[in-house]
Amino acid sequence: MNLPFFLALRYLKGNNKFFFNFWSTFSVLGIFFGVFSILVASSFMGGLKQVMIETLLQKKPHIVIKSQQGKEFGEDIESLLAKDSRIATFSSVIYTQGVLKAGQFSQGILVCGIDLAKQKKILPFLKVLPTKNLTNNKIVVSSNLQRKLNLFAGDKVYLYSTQNTQNTAFGKVPVAARFKFASSYKADDQVLAENLVYVSLEAAKKIAGSSAEKRLEIHLLDAYQVEEVSKTLQEKLGESYQIISWNQEDKAIYDSLKVEAIALNFVLFLIIVLAIFNMSGNFLRLVNEKSGEIGVLKAMGIQEKQIKQIFIYCGLFIAGLGAGAGVILANGFLYIQQEYQLISMPIQGLGFDSLPVDVSYFTGLYTFVVVLLVSLIFSYYPCLRLQKVNPIKVIKE
């Protein structure tokens, strides 16, 4: 064992029977709690963001293409989408507004015409519905709307368009169609739960006529490639079509999560900096206390570089022990939480019952290295005080 390292351990221990003296233990604990808090908090924010994205993508397509000037989606556009290897599937969708009437009850609704077989690959929450539920003028409504209209399987309902009319002997009247209630879907979103109904694409075309809002909805193989794919499609389709991605619609939510994560990690990092400041202050006190020994060491011929190494070793040892323990225990805690869900945190509408975590071992390694570098910088400052120690003066005293 070289001399600087041996003296570093001796100075950290002091005169106590324990491995560390009080001030060194306090510095280690400060760094430990700071690192532990940063890793747990950043993992929680990452897990929360991931769960929110997954929950939202259960109810919406990754990309929506809208016609700006009522243009139809021709075979050229469908061919373009089919050739893009990043696109898993796409489907035409028609939206229109109307009133749904069942017996004495009626409800204003948003009608969505879809190809259910394709749409189940785009909106995962529709997977529970058999494809036959939208054939032969059948209709699917939310479970909330089913209870409100008191519907049972096979009941007849009437849908009146509020956007399309037809000429009759009595003048213009809303286009109407009769449907059979097939089944319901469960939706946590309030808008879906109260207003949205699904019919077949052909039925929606008859009801909506030329007033229909036509869209192409796209599902990607990787939802996080949405910005890249959207940019490519916008360049190829031009300004006649509007490209809307899932992250644009909920941009405020994701931006707020990023800001909160940055602010939280910044505050927690300050805890580590304060602990390292405390460590540096303790080293200054240690320099004053050990000035006699340092003077003797200088008089014996120990190089000033070696004496500086003593305090650098002290700083790295404290930071390494505190940060290492923080990384190991934080990742252990996160792994246990991920596997066994010890901490319960049910939030309605977000689809999780326990504290969500996103374990990143790279974050732990990165935090450990940063803490060591910061401690190295702050450990070097007390070393500058060593230059003022005069060995001759110390020995005379």
Side-chain angles (χ1 to χ4, degrees):
M1 181 183 296
N2 62 21
L3 182 61
F5 189 74
F6 171 78
L7 292 174
L9 294 179
R10 182 173 174 273
Y11 287 168
L12 288 175
K13 182 178 179 181
N15 298 321
N16 295 334
K17 296 179 181 179
F18 302 103
F19 186 69
F20 275 164
N21 60 36
F22 174 77
W23 296 109
S24 299
T25 303
F26 188 78
S27 298
V28 170
L29 289 176
I31 295 173
F32 163 76
F33 285 117
V35 170
F36 184 88
S37 301
I38 281 181
L39 294 180
V40 172
S42 62
S43 177
F44 168 66
M45 295 301 295
L48 180 62
K49 180 180 178 181
Q50 190 176 44
V51 168
M52 289 185 68
I53 290 174
E54 290 176 355
T55 302
L56 289 170
L57 292 182
Q58 291 284 319
K59 309 168 188 173
K60 61 176 59 179
H62 295 165
I63 297 175
V64 173
I65 303 178
K66 291 183 179 180
S67 174
Q68 295 284 69
Q69 303 165 353
K71 294 183 66 175
E72 295 287 338
F73 296 106
E75 293 182 1
D76 55 334
I77 296 179
E78 294 186 359
S79 176
L80 173 67
L81 299 180
K83 291 178 181 178
D84 196 322
S85 60
R86 298 166 296 182
I87 297 176
T89 187
F90 61 91
S91 178
S92 296
V93 177
I94 291 178
Y95 282 95
T96 187
Q97 295 179 359
V99 174
L100 191 66
K101 191 174 186 305
Q104 302 298 318
F105 301 98
S106 60
Q107 170 76 32
I109 44 93
L110 177 65
V111 182
C112 182
I114 60 173
D115 181 335
L116 184 54
K118 291 183 178 180
Q119 203 69 12
K120 286 196 289 187
K121 300 177 183 178
I122 299 174
L123 301 178
F125 78 96
L126 293 176
K127 287 182 178 179
V128 296
L129 300 177
T131 305
K132 63 181 181 181
N133 281 10
L134 288 187
T135 58
N136 302 322
N137 271 22
K138 293 180 180 178
I139 192 170
V140 172
V141 306
S142 68
S143 55
N144 287 27
L145 190 55
Q146 178 191 2
R147 288 191 296 269
K148 188 174 183 179
L149 299 178
N150 195 29
L151 293 176
F152 296 92
D155 283 356
K156 294 179 182 179
V157 296
Y158 294 88
L159 179 59
Y160 300 91
S161 173
T162 58
Q163 294 183 300
N164 189 27
T165 59
Q166 60 184 353
N167 294 318
T168 68
F170 304 99
K172 289 187 175 182
V173 296
V175 172
R178 187 176 68 178
F179 292 88
K180 286 184 179 181
F181 171 65
S183 61
S184 62
Y185 64 91
K186 186 178 180 181
D188 296 319
D189 189 286
Q190 193 62 28
V191 175
L192 293 178
E194 295 292 340
N195 300 309
L196 186 63
V197 303
Y198 289 100
V199 298
S200 67
L201 203 56
E202 294 73 18
K205 288 178 182 178
K206 293 178 182 178
I207 297 169
S210 60
S211 66
E213 179 187 343
K214 300 180 178 66
R215 300 182 182 182
L216 277 176
E217 296 187 350
I218 299 171
H219 185 81
L220 304 178
L221 292 173
D222 182 0
Y224 294 97
Q225 287 187 320
V226 65
E227 293 185 4
E228 180 185 336
V229 177
S230 297
K231 184 178 179 180
T232 302
L233 291 177
Q234 191 69 74
E235 291 174 353
K236 292 183 177 181
L237 296 179
E239 298 300 323
S240 299
Y241 298 95
Q242 182 184 8
I243 312 296
I244 304 172
S245 59
W246 64 265
N247 59 340
Q248 288 177 327
E249 292 187 339
D250 301 288
K251 193 175 188 311
I253 296 176
Y254 306 123
D255 287 346
S256 65
L257 282 174
K258 289 179 182 178
V259 171
E260 288 176 8
I262 293 172
L264 181 61
N265 287 329
F266 177 73
V267 171
L268 293 174
F269 183 71
L270 288 180
I271 296 175
I272 297 178
V273 173
L274 287 174
I276 295 176
F277 261 117
N278 175 70
M279 179 187 71
S280 181
N282 290 335
F283 288 169
L284 288 173
R285 178 185 56 79
L286 189 61
V287 168
N288 292 329
E289 287 181 359
K290 303 295 183 180
S291 58
E293 291 185 21
I294 293 170
V296 172
L297 290 172
K298 281 188 172 183
M300 292 173 61
I302 300 297
Q303 296 180 6
E304 189 171 299
K305 181 178 71 172
Q306 290 179 298
I307 297 176
K308 289 180 180 179
Q309 287 177 357
I310 296 173
F311 294 94
I312 291 175
Y313 282 144
C314 286
L316 291 177
F317 199 83
I318 288 176
L321 185 60
V327 169
I328 293 171
L329 291 180
N331 280 290
F333 166 77
L334 294 172
Y335 175 78
I336 293 172
Q337 174 62 24
Q338 190 177 49
E339 294 295 321
Y340 303 104
Q341 293 81 44
L342 297 181
I343 301 177
S344 178
M345 186 181 287
I347 298 180
Q348 186 177 5
L350 286 183
F352 62 86
D353 297 321
S354 62
L355 183 71
V357 293
D358 179 23
V359 181
S360 173
Y361 298 107
F362 173 78
T363 303
L365 178 62
Y366 172 79
T367 305
F368 180 79
V369 172
V370 169
V371 170
L372 286 184
L373 291 176
V374 174
S375 67
L376 184 62
I377 294 171
F378 281 90
S379 299
Y380 189 76
Y381 174 71
C383 298
L384 300 178
R385 296 287 298 271
L386 298 174
Q387 297 175 356
K388 300 179 180 180
V389 177
N390 189 330
I392 299 175
K393 182 178 179 181
V394 169
I395 292 174
K396 286 182 178 180
E397 294 178 354

